[in-house]
Amino acid sequence: MTAPPPWVEAWCRAAVGRSLIRETDEQSRLLGVAELLHVPARFAGDLPELAKLCREEAERTLRELGYADEAEGLRR
């Protein structure tokens, strides 16, 4: 079995991350942030708009969870 193209992985991680940040428990939401941040970390060069969206969603979620310093670090 061959690996999917990078854009497929990026969009799947974005979808999983966006789903998890909508859960009610903090643990799931933090896992969602990790999934979202995987996109800019690995795919920013190929998918800059998706990477930006994922970073912004991760930042917003961290702020909602009370991690203002961490969110500010992402913003910078």
Side-chain angles (χ1 to χ4, degrees):
M1 181 173 182
T2 61
W7 69 267
V8 172
E9 180 184 352
W11 277 97
C12 287
R13 287 188 181 276
V16 168
R18 293 188 81 207
S19 176
L20 285 168
I21 64 171
R22 283 163 178 73
E23 294 294 328
T24 56
D25 64 293
E26 183 174 339
Q27 178 83 11
S28 293
R29 295 185 78 195
L30 289 173
L31 287 171
V33 167
E35 284 294 326
L36 288 170
L37 291 177
H38 202 98
V39 176
R42 288 195 45 220
F43 305 105
D46 294 328
L47 300 162
E49 293 300 317
L50 180 61
K52 179 182 177 193
L53 173 88
C54 288
R55 187 198 51 78
E56 289 171 348
E57 292 255 2
E59 177 188 342
R60 180 182 54 77
T61 301
L62 287 173
R63 283 193 197 287
E64 289 174 1
L65 291 172
Y67 296 95
D69 292 340
E70 291 81 354
E72 184 61 25
L74 286 179
R75 190 190 63 76
R76 290 185 195 158

